[in-house]
Amino acid sequence: MKAIEKELKKIEKVEARLHRNGEKKTEPVWKTKIEEKIPEKVMNTLQKAFSGAFYLIFEKGSVIIEKTYQREEIEKEFLIRDYAIGLKGGKKEIRNIRKDAVSGNIVSTFITTVEGIGLGALGIGLPDIVFWVSILLRGVYETALKYGFAYETPEERMFILTMLEAAMSNGKAWTEANEQVDAYIQEDVHMIPSNEELKKQIEQTANAFATDMLVTKFIQGLPVVGIIGGATNPVYYNKVMSYVELKYRKRYLLGKQKRI
């Protein structure tokens, strides 16, 4: 189907740009200088906070997150849009499914902005992480559903965690994580990870978040000026969700191409 082929070529161009930027990206000098002054225990605490957030939400939070959107309605809407693509297969139908997939991020971006700035003004950094990760995973879950994928299986969680790691990584780490994401897509995520493999991936993902957000979360923990750190929450949210939406769209279109 020509429309799907064209969309996949567009995705390839975006991925090529991401690849160039991901491999070459380096930390700004100002950020590196601040990081050098931050105690190592802060980094360790931040890493534990992110891994703890992922564990907590995967084990208990998914049910709560599902109460913030209508899963059945999203799944029904996907079936309609998927059928339309199969029936007409035009650029408009593909654009509609993508438009629907990114629509929920507007509200989530607003929420992360308000809570980030609000808690930052109070000098609250670490307690913000569980809430922020829950909002982020809410966006990921909605995106998955809007492209026809469930998210509660171990293999899907592995895929999600690897995408999150890639989105927050730079250089060689980005390349390796991105290649793993694409491998999952090509294999249609059939590999079922062991508990140890899933645990290891959670730690890797948490480390990527802690490394990239070290300075902002450290600043957010300071009264008044913490507003600056909290204000970056929506920036990181959109950064991650742009990557996640791209990969889910690629996965959906490749799968659709095989089925037609």
Side-chain angles (χ1 to χ4, degrees):
M1 191 174 288
K2 288 185 178 180
I4 290 179
E5 289 178 3
K6 287 182 179 179
E7 185 65 22
L8 285 170
K9 286 181 180 179
K10 289 181 183 178
I11 291 174
E12 284 181 9
K13 290 181 180 179
V14 175
E15 287 182 319
R17 184 172 69 250
L18 286 175
H19 196 277
R20 291 192 298 270
N21 294 339
E23 286 193 326
K24 294 179 180 179
K25 187 177 179 182
T26 56
E27 296 289 356
V29 176
W30 66 266
K31 187 176 180 182
T32 303
K33 288 184 177 180
I34 295 176
E35 286 176 346
E36 291 173 352
K37 297 179 181 180
I38 299 175
E40 186 176 346
K41 66 179 182 179
V42 175
M43 174 63 178
N44 295 333
T45 301
L46 192 57
Q47 198 274 341
K48 289 179 181 178
F50 274 111
S51 62
F54 285 121
Y55 281 119
L56 178 65
I57 295 167
F58 281 157
E59 290 179 9
K60 301 178 181 179
S62 294
V63 175
I64 297 174
I65 290 175
E66 282 190 352
K67 292 181 180 180
T68 65
Y69 54 78
Q70 296 178 311
R71 177 168 181 169
E72 289 185 4
E73 290 301 315
I74 294 174
E75 290 173 331
K76 288 177 183 177
E77 188 65 28
F78 164 75
L79 292 175
I80 294 171
R81 295 190 185 281
D82 180 58
Y83 178 74
I85 290 175
L87 184 65
K88 299 179 181 179
K91 184 168 57 176
K92 179 181 177 181
E93 287 71 34
I94 293 174
R95 184 172 64 247
N96 285 342
I97 198 169
R98 179 188 179 187
K99 185 178 179 181
D100 185 48
V102 301
S103 62
N105 291 332
I106 298 174
V107 175
S108 295
T109 299
F110 176 75
I111 294 172
T112 60
T113 302
V114 173
E115 63 89 18
I117 292 176
L119 293 178
L122 298 173
I124 299 174
L126 289 179
D128 164 63
I129 290 174
V130 173
F131 185 80
W132 187 78
V133 170
S134 67
I135 295 297
L136 179 64
L137 286 178
R138 178 188 185 277
V140 174
Y141 291 170
E142 272 198 283
T143 302
L145 292 175
K146 288 179 178 181
Y147 280 115
F149 302 104
Y151 46 75
E152 56 267 42
T153 64
E155 55 268 37
E156 196 65 28
R157 286 180 175 177
M158 191 75 166
F159 178 64
I160 289 170
L161 286 164
T162 309
M163 282 195 294
L164 297 183
E165 180 189 2
M168 295 295 284
S169 298
N170 298 314
K172 184 179 179 181
W174 182 89
T175 301
E176 291 177 352
N178 184 64
E179 287 177 350
Q180 187 61 59
V181 169
D182 285 336
Y184 284 142
I185 291 174
Q186 292 298 327
E187 297 164 6
D188 201 19
V189 200
H190 288 311
M191 183 195 74
I192 301 176
S194 65
N195 289 334
E196 284 302 312
E197 288 172 327
L198 196 57
K199 181 180 178 180
K200 180 180 178 181
Q201 185 57 58
I202 287 176
E203 297 302 324
Q204 287 180 196
T205 302
N207 186 63
F209 273 78
T211 300
D212 202 3
M213 299 181 76
L214 175 62
V215 172
T216 57
K217 286 303 170 188
F218 177 73
I219 293 175
Q220 190 177 343
L222 304 175
V224 185
V225 295
I227 292 175
I228 299 173
T232 62
N233 277 6
V235 176
Y236 281 110
Y237 176 86
N238 286 317
K239 173 185 176 181
V240 173
M241 288 308 304
S242 293
Y243 182 87
V244 168
E245 188 279 326
L246 181 74
K247 294 300 181 178
Y248 266 125
R249 178 158 35 107
K250 176 182 179 180
R251 181 178 163 192
Y252 165 73
L253 290 172
L254 285 172
K256 191 69 176 176
Q257 193 177 52
K258 292 176 183 177
R259 293 191 297 272
I260 294 176

